[in-house]
Amino acid sequence: YAMTGGVTPLIFDEILARLANTSGRHWARTAYLHVNYRAPAPLGVGLLVGGELAGQEGRKRFLRGGMYHGDLLVADVDGLWIELKPEQTQNVSLAVGRGAEEGS
C-alpha cells in the first residue's frame, strides 16, 4: 500500500543531483542525504517532488527538498553535494563521453 523506505532516498538523490549539477555548475557528488519520513507514500498515485539549492560554501552545495501527495508532506530531505576537484572532473568527462560513444 506504500512505497518502501529505500525508494524515497533514491528519488531524492536523483532529483537533487540533477539540480546540484545544472546551471553551469561544476560536477558534484552526493556526500549525504538525511531523509525524514513524515507519512506513508501511497503507490499508484502521482507524487510531487521538488528541491532547491539552499546554499553553497566553497565546494559544498546544500540542497533540500520535499515529496508530497497532494498537500500532504510524505518526506523531506537535506543533503550535501561536494564539487569535484579538477582532476576528478576529467574522469567524469571521460566517462560521460565514453557512455555517449557506446550508445551510438
Side-chain angles (χ1 to χ4, degrees):
Y1 77 98
M3 189 167 34
T4 62
V7 175
T8 302
L10 175 68
I11 293 169
F12 278 133
D13 192 36
E14 179 65 24
I15 298 297
L16 295 179
R18 289 177 187 228
L19 179 58
N21 290 303
T22 60
S23 300
R25 296 182 191 99
H26 295 282
W27 284 96
R29 290 291 178 254
T30 310
Y32 75 76
L33 287 174
H34 179 90
V35 177
N36 297 302
Y37 299 92
R38 306 295 184 177
L43 298 173
V45 300
L47 298 172
L48 177 66
V49 179
E52 66 178 341
L53 179 65
Q56 183 161 345
E57 296 175 13
R59 294 175 40 226
K60 296 179 182 179
R61 296 185 195 147
F62 301 92
L63 290 99
R64 62 180 168 225
M67 178 181 291
Y68 295 86
H69 175 228
D71 292 335
L72 178 64
L73 177 65
V74 296
D76 58 56
V77 64
D78 289 301
L80 171 64
W81 274 253
I82 305 293
E83 185 175 310
L84 298 176
K85 295 176 182 177
E87 62 271 17
Q88 295 169 317
T89 304
Q90 180 182 8
N91 293 336
V92 170
S93 298
L94 291 173
V96 170
R98 187 171 37 250
E101 292 170 6
E102 291 173 0
S104 51

